[in-house]
Amino acid sequence: MKKIILILAAISLLAIGCTNSQPKKELADPCFVGAPQWVINPAVEGAIAAAGSAQKSAGGMQFTRDAAMANARSEISRVLEVKVKTMMKDFTQVTGVGDAQTVDKVTSSVSKQISSQVLQGTMQKDAWFSPCGELYVLVVLDPTKVADATKKNVLSSMKKDEALWQQFQSQKAQNELDAAVDKEFGQ
């Protein structure tokens, strides 16, 4: 029984040793070697997150960072709302006679996506330069800031509506007064 346990333990150690000696699999693209997880899957708990990238340019680091931030903000905007128009065309045509017939088939697909959002409260959370010279930034949108901005806009809108209503009521009262005076003095 002891021999069986020792043999099983030896086999287990040998198997563990063999599995650890295998090289780690790297991503196929050398530009992503050492990339943080958020580059591929930009997720931040409690926030809306997106990754944006820009190639290092002669415009300098700030220009590169601004371009990467703009790309990330565009992605956040598309997460919040996107209008999509799509069109698919399929065309098939047979030409020729008998054995000389040929079939031509063309399929085309066009898609247009538009997003327009005012983003308040976005900020860079992390950055990474790839081995290929591309800057990746992780940008997050704090939902509490979005909620606060929305609440502020709603309250501001309500105040504008109240002011417009008061202006309307004032104009209405002025018109009624003018009508009463005209009626009284026969004009």
Side-chain angles (χ1 to χ4, degrees):
M1 183 68 167
K2 287 181 182 180
K3 286 183 181 181
I4 293 174
I5 292 175
L6 284 174
I7 292 172
L8 288 175
I11 291 173
S12 297
L13 287 174
L14 184 61
I16 291 171
C18 290
T19 58
N20 286 341
S21 65
Q22 293 176 351
K24 272 181 132 178
K25 287 185 179 179
E26 293 291 333
L27 291 174
D29 190 339
C31 292
F32 291 101
V33 172
Q37 180 63 32
W38 60 262
V39 169
I40 306 299
N41 182 21
V44 174
E45 189 173 329
I48 299 169
S53 67
Q55 194 68 32
K56 188 176 179 182
S57 77
M61 180 61 180
Q62 187 62 45
F63 182 83
T64 303
R65 182 181 170 278
D66 288 347
M69 293 280 293
N71 289 333
R73 286 185 184 119
S74 293
E75 181 61 26
I76 288 174
S77 177
R78 285 188 294 273
V79 166
L80 294 175
E81 175 186 38
V82 66
K83 294 177 185 173
V84 178
K85 287 186 177 182
T86 186
M87 178 176 64
M88 183 83 156
K89 288 183 180 180
D90 194 9
F91 173 76
T92 305
Q93 174 180 323
V94 177
T95 56
V97 179
D99 291 341
Q101 285 186 347
T102 61
V103 176
D104 296 324
K105 183 170 174 102
V106 177
T107 303
S108 65
S109 176
V110 178
S111 177
K112 178 180 178 181
Q113 297 183 18
I114 299 172
S115 178
S116 176
Q117 294 288 322
V118 175
L119 298 178
Q120 295 178 341
T122 59
M123 63 183 182
Q124 180 180 326
K125 185 165 177 72
D126 207 346
W128 176 73
F129 255 110
S130 80
C132 298
E134 190 148 355
L135 173 65
Y136 289 82
V137 294
L138 176 64
V139 174
V140 295
L141 176 63
D142 184 354
T144 58
K145 290 184 180 178
V146 172
D148 291 344
T150 302
K151 182 178 177 182
K152 182 179 176 182
N153 287 339
V154 166
L155 290 175
S156 174
S157 175
M158 284 175 27
K159 288 178 184 176
K160 287 178 188 173
D161 287 346
E162 289 173 6
L164 286 173
W165 176 252
Q166 289 173 354
Q167 185 179 3
F168 170 74
Q169 292 290 52
S170 173
Q171 185 64 44
K172 182 179 170 190
Q174 184 65 43
N175 291 343
E176 289 173 359
L177 177 62
D178 288 344
V181 168
D182 289 346
K183 184 177 180 182
E184 184 67 31
F185 293 108
Q187 292 181 349

